[in-house]
Amino acid sequence: MFTDETIVRIAEKYGVTTGQVLLSWGVERGTSVIPKSEKEERLRTNFKLLKFDPEDFEAINAIHKQPGKNKNVAFHLGYVDGKPGIFGWTYEQLGWEYDYE
């Protein structure tokens, strides 16, 4: 994801790192993110979250729809509210579209 052309373009637009784009996107969509780094400067930049323009946020959301970018899970680990899920999350909560028919 750090080298994805959409992520790189958005990082350049806002003048930040691709890591900051990905962390900010995760937080903005309501998921818990756990950044990891041993470098003090990178730790500092990880705390600087962005507020995306709606079109940038949607562009990141749409990356998984590009050919070769969606990593389908071939098994279900259980059900959440009657729907197939993975690790206690429904596909919608993970940002994936799923046809339950």
Side-chain angles (χ1 to χ4, degrees):
M1 291 294 295
F2 291 102
T3 59
D4 180 87
E5 63 185 46
T6 301
I7 302 298
V8 171
R9 177 183 54 77
I10 292 171
E12 289 172 353
K13 174 182 175 179
Y14 290 93
V16 298
T17 67
T18 54
Q20 284 175 280
V21 169
L22 294 168
L23 289 170
S24 297
W25 171 76
V27 170
E28 191 168 327
R29 70 187 295 260
T31 56
S32 297
V33 296
I34 304 171
K36 178 199 160 290
S37 181
E38 295 178 0
K39 298 182 179 185
E40 184 176 340
E41 182 58 31
R42 191 168 294 152
L43 289 168
R44 289 180 196 274
T45 61
N46 286 344
F47 284 112
K48 297 176 184 173
L49 298 177
L50 310 170
K51 178 65 177 155
F52 296 110
D53 292 334
E55 59 272 5
D56 293 331
F57 185 76
E58 288 306 316
I60 299 170
N61 280 342
I63 289 173
H64 76 282
K65 296 178 182 177
Q66 297 172 10
K69 298 287 178 120
N70 187 350
K71 306 297 184 207
N72 287 326
V73 178
F75 57 90
H76 303 289
L77 296 178
Y79 286 83
V80 180
D81 297 327
K83 297 177 181 178
I86 299 171
F87 302 115
W89 296 83
T90 65
Y91 287 111
E92 288 86 358
Q93 290 169 324
L94 292 168
W96 302 340
E97 293 179 17
Y98 186 81
D99 183 10
Y100 292 102
E101 300 294 321

